[in-house]
Amino acid sequence: MATIKSKTSSFSRNLMGVQLAQTPGLKQGLNGVTFISSGIPNLDNILGGGFPLGSLIMVMEDAEAPHHLLLLRNFMSQGLVHEQPLLYASPATDPRAFLGTLPSPLSTKDDKALDREPEQKGLRIAWQYKKYFGDNQQCSEGHRENRQEYSNDFDLRKPLERRSLSGGHIDCVSLKDYPKITAFHDRCSSFLAKFARNDAGPRCAGRIAIQSLCAPQCGYAEMEWDMISFIRCLKSMVRSSNAVALITFPPSLLSPSFAKRWQHMADTLLSVRAIPDEDKELAKLLTGYQDMVGFLHVHKVAQINTQVPVILEASTFSMKLQKRRSLVLERLNQAPVDGSSGTSYAKSAGCSGSSKAASIDF
Amino acid sequence: MDHSLNVLDEALRLDNATMSFCPGQVVLIEDCVETSGAFVLHHMIKRALSPNSSGVVLFVAFAQPFSHYERILRKLSCNLVTYRENGRFFLFDMLKLDYPDGDVGNTVHDRVFDLYGKIQKALEVISVSPDYNKSCITIMIDDLSLMEVAANGASNNVLDFLHYCHTLTSELGCSLVVLNHEDIYSDLMGPTLILQMEYLADVVIKVEPLATGLATDVHGQLTVINKGVIDEPGILRTRVRNLHFKVKENSVECFYPGSRS
């Protein structure tokens, strides 16, 4: 085998993990990938740990609803909680105003209460599996204690404290100020220069959040190739630094072929979709329909340093606001059909049981 | 590791002894957003650099940095660092190309031209080396749509580049392997780059997600189209193979639909 003979053997001691333990907000993953939290614990679990450092995440917006802002706000807040430098760009005239809407982390007490309730509900349905759940629960509880540092639940109703917003590590940029995207590219590259990768491993990670990149206000409509060049350059810059970039864009504003090109650029590709107000058909099909605010679709999960694709158990998740304040993602559960036979009942119970397990620990 | 040909190699009609393509072939890999075709490329690098051939790979990397390929190929038991030192693997890192400046027309043309110059120079170096006569050279491009982006949309330049490379393939007997994304062009009318490529290619490999949806056992399906296969009685025809695949860290498992228990 070539690996053994070679100088750079794959069997080397990994010292990065030790270091990472001291860096809050970063987690060591497989294949030499370091994860950073998306700000939504459920999404981190779905993606296998979070967003890999050095990856480009793209979120396709729903043209009629601002659901992408939920992801963006949690992503930004999580970075600020960990005091990671942030570059935020948006087509708004005063992007700094958006910082006022960022959610603050739930206090641990609330967190506990929030967690306990759905678990009990799950157990009531599948009481006969209680003994299996026991272990699982403990383990996930312990897990949670460890991970407290890594990702937080956010209270969408409570704005982030002024204290964390006032630090000098937040850059807010209005895309309107950059009639040529080259200038914005330079801005990003100077921001990312601080996080250049070196052998010492990541000490600090940066986040770039770009909202509605191809919105008409920015005036980039006639510059399709320039835009995609910009994304290509941003991707390669991010890849060689300890940072992640999250871009949201409305695909309907791009021509179909460019929308596809943009999607190919993404390492991790997500899309959000709102639920039409009163869709009776859907309400009949899905359980917990009234709490749902929208759907999140995972199109692509980053494959960095590996060729194996991540096959998720489900690719569409419902976005729910638990107790109207914290965003959770759940797999879709089909409602049991009325007057169904015994077998199908058993099936649906098993189904909800397994999905519960998935939301505890992916 | 096993050096026997698997189903994929058989479908690609790789040569049994050298584990590589017949000289002068053009191979096009088409994939889409849902399913990446990069693993076919990795498989081909591995085959081209296999110990019982003396193939040389010129790799034009637009999509990923060297470390990414190095890690993947190491798991496929193929050490790119060693091959690079031995002069059997050349990587042209195009990831670091900076943003094209205002004076578009000029720089873009230069960029594609420069790349071709580099490839030509590398080929010259290889062809004077003593063990050239038995080596087979493969030029790989990952991926062509990004090359278009780097050329700022001048697909004619990209096409010219491909034609030049194709000339090289016939002159020096190297093969050309190109990855491109099919779905980008599906809405475009007229002679798109992908159609020109499909015409140029001897082997077209289409990577698609499974029509029936997500599965953990089967990651997707491959359609391998071999053009101009000569049958026993001497009839020229196109051979099409449909395969299912599962990508693993250390190999790609290919099998005929339904043949796996």
Side-chain angles (χ1 to χ4, degrees):
Chain A
M1 273 179 42
T3 24
I4 293 169
K5 271 184 258 164
S6 67
K7 278 171 241 162
T8 48
S9 158
S10 52
F11 304 108
S12 61
R13 208 176 145 211
N14 196 345
L15 293 169
M16 281 236 303
V18 186
Q19 255 176 19
L20 276 177
Q22 296 150 9
T23 322
L26 297 178
K27 191 162 80 173
Q28 186 71 39
L30 287 173
N31 301 316
V33 171
T34 311
F35 286 116
I36 190 167
S37 173
S38 64
I40 306 168
N42 289 139
L43 185 59
D44 288 346
N45 286 343
I46 291 165
L47 298 176
F51 296 144
L53 272 192
S55 71
L56 174 69
I57 301 103
M58 295 180 94
V59 180
M60 294 194 275
E61 302 173 4
D62 185 324
E64 282 146 18
H67 285 64
H68 57 278
L69 293 182
L70 288 173
L71 297 184
L72 203 64
R73 282 160 70 191
N74 278 26
F75 173 78
M76 289 164 69
S77 275
Q78 184 68 71
L80 296 183
V81 165
H82 291 311
E83 296 186 341
Q84 289 157 344
L86 171 75
L87 175 68
Y88 170 64
S90 103
T93 327
D94 180 20
R96 199 159 263 280
F98 185 69
L99 296 181
T101 69
L102 295 186
S104 88
L106 275 177
S107 58
T108 25
K109 196 178 71 195
D110 294 346
D111 195 17
K112 282 267 166 63
L114 213 64
D115 276 347
R116 189 83 11 107
E117 193 197 39
E119 264 166 32
Q120 279 168 354
K121 212 160 76 189
L123 288 178
R124 208 163 46 225
I125 297 168
W127 56 271
Q128 67 269 50
Y129 300 120
K130 199 168 184 173
K131 56 180 178 196
Y132 303 111
F133 266 121
D135 283 352
N136 212 335
Q137 205 177 340
Q138 267 171 9
C139 149
S140 85
E141 203 80 6
H143 219 68
R144 195 168 285 275
E145 294 298 313
N146 278 340
R147 247 189 2 196
Q148 206 66 48
E149 284 290 285
Y150 176 66
S151 67
N152 299 84
D153 273 306
F154 287 94
D155 187 343
L156 289 164
R157 291 188 304 185
K158 209 161 101 191
L160 203 60
E161 287 169 43
R162 287 255 159 243
R163 187 162 51 80
S164 26
L165 292 178
S166 55
H169 53 280
I170 311 174
D171 284 353
C172 285
V173 167
S174 171
L175 288 174
K176 276 187 188 159
D177 299 341
Y178 295 99
K180 278 195 128 182
I181 204 161
T182 347
F184 181 54
H185 167 260
D186 295 341
R187 190 83 164 73
C188 291
S189 98
S190 64
F191 175 80
L192 286 171
K194 288 178 272 181
F195 309 103
R197 269 191 197 188
N198 51 15
D199 294 334
R203 282 282 154 74
C204 185
R207 292 176 187 236
I208 295 183
I210 303 176
Q211 185 192 333
S212 308
L213 183 57
C214 61
Q217 304 94 294
C218 323
Y220 298 143
E222 299 298 311
M223 302 158 65
E224 284 177 319
W225 285 106
D226 288 321
M227 297 272 280
I228 195 138
S229 281
F230 164 74
I231 298 174
R232 188 187 71 85
C233 293
L234 180 69
K235 184 181 177 179
S236 74
M237 286 191 301
V238 168
R239 180 52 81 84
S240 56
S241 54
N242 291 312
V244 286
L246 185 131
I247 299 179
T248 72
F249 70 102
S252 48
L253 293 184
L254 293 163
S255 71
S257 111
F258 271 92
K260 278 285 180 221
R261 277 185 197 273
W262 282 48
Q263 292 175 31
H264 274 290
M265 285 288 172
D267 287 307
T268 300
L269 182 66
L270 311 170
S271 70
V272 284
R273 198 153 52 83
I275 292 183
D277 261 348
E278 281 297 310
D279 193 337
K280 293 261 167 60
E281 300 265 300
L282 263 182
K284 230 182 277 171
L285 272 175
L286 302 169
T287 53
Y289 177 77
Q290 34 318 352
D291 309 330
M292 291 182 194
V293 291
F295 294 118
L296 177 106
H297 196 84
V298 183
H299 296 266
K300 203 157 77 167
V301 183
Q303 295 179 41
I304 293 183
N305 294 340
T306 179
Q307 63 171 354
V308 180
V310 180
I311 304 287
L312 300 172
E313 280 184 44
S315 58
T316 307
F317 298 86
S318 61
M319 297 162 82
K320 285 184 184 172
L321 290 180
Q322 209 167 66
K323 291 199 167 175
R324 293 220 199 133
R325 56 184 182 192
S326 90
L327 183 66
V328 292
L329 302 175
E330 274 175 21
R331 272 177 62 179
L332 299 178
N333 282 333
Q334 281 200 341
V337 184
D338 287 336
S340 59
S341 63
T343 48
S344 94
Y345 173 71
K347 211 163 126 199
S348 75
C351 200
S352 70
S354 74
S355 81
K356 193 61 229 159
S359 82
I360 291 169
D361 199 346
F362 183 69
Chain B
M1 294 293 119
D2 69 312
H3 295 303
S4 59
L5 294 179
N6 65 18
V7 182
L8 177 60
D9 298 327
E10 196 270 329
L12 293 172
R13 294 170 57 81
L14 292 191
D15 195 67
N16 226 329
T18 60
M19 305 284 246
S20 56
F21 286 104
C22 316
Q25 272 196 321
V26 179
V27 181
L28 172 66
I29 307 166
E30 293 177 358
D31 68 358
C32 49
V33 174
E34 291 78 22
T35 314
S36 158
F39 71 93
V40 185
L41 218 53
H42 303 146
H43 181 79
M44 285 182 181
I45 299 178
K46 186 191 168 182
R47 285 294 181 237
L49 295 174
S50 72
N52 44 357
S53 80
S54 56
V56 180
V57 173
L58 305 179
F59 199 90
V60 184
F62 280 99
Q64 304 283 354
F66 177 69
S67 60
H68 173 88
Y69 299 111
E70 200 264 325
R71 250 178 195 274
I72 289 174
L73 266 294
R74 209 197 306 167
K75 279 179 257 181
L76 293 173
S77 69
C78 169
N79 193 321
L80 290 186
V81 178
T82 329
Y83 284 120
R84 191 161 68 164
E85 281 162 10
N86 298 346
R88 284 186 59 190
F89 183 80
F90 295 83
L91 185 111
F92 303 97
D93 190 354
M94 310 307 283
L95 209 60
K96 294 266 150 57
L97 280 182
D98 27 304
Y99 194 80
D101 298 327
D103 193 16
V104 175
N106 213 0
T107 50
V108 162
H109 183 258
D110 288 351
R111 202 173 260 191
V112 181
F113 194 76
D114 281 352
L115 176 62
Y116 180 71
K118 275 187 207 163
I119 290 178
Q120 209 176 18
K121 204 169 279 172
L123 282 174
E124 271 168 27
V125 173
I126 298 163
S127 57
V128 294
S129 71
D131 49 7
Y132 163 66
N133 51 358
K134 50 187 167 101
S135 71
C136 180
I137 304 164
T138 316
I139 303 172
M140 294 190 181
I141 302 173
D142 183 16
D143 60 75
L144 202 63
S145 73
L146 286 173
M147 190 169 176
E148 260 186 295
V149 174
N152 224 357
S155 20
N156 279 341
N157 282 341
V158 177
L159 208 58
D160 284 348
F161 174 84
L162 287 174
H163 276 294
Y164 286 142
C165 288
H166 191 208
T167 331
L168 285 179
T169 62
S170 36
E171 268 175 18
L172 294 167
C174 30
S175 14
L176 181 65
V177 179
V178 178
L179 176 71
N180 207 350
H181 308 303
E182 192 198 11
D183 44 4
I184 292 175
Y185 307 94
S186 56
D187 298 299
L188 297 177
M189 302 293 284
T192 53
L193 190 66
I194 198 100
L195 286 179
Q196 311 238 26
M197 275 305 298
E198 277 178 18
Y199 181 76
L200 210 63
D202 300 297
V203 183
V204 180
I205 305 162
K206 292 188 182 188
V207 184
E208 291 158 324
L210 214 55
T212 45
L214 292 168
T216 42
D217 293 339
V218 184
H219 291 168
Q221 56 193 22
L222 282 172
T223 311
V224 185
I225 304 163
N226 277 286
K227 290 183 200 162
V229 178
I230 301 167
D231 264 353
E232 285 296 319
I235 306 163
L236 208 63
R237 63 179 187 93
T238 301
R239 196 184 73 167
V240 182
R241 283 267 189 282
N242 278 308
L243 299 172
H244 282 176
F245 65 87
K246 180 179 181 178
V247 185
K248 293 179 178 174
E249 288 287 3
N250 60 357
S251 65
V252 184
E253 222 175 90
C254 283
F255 39 90
Y256 293 107
S259 69
R260 224 169 63 141
S261 51

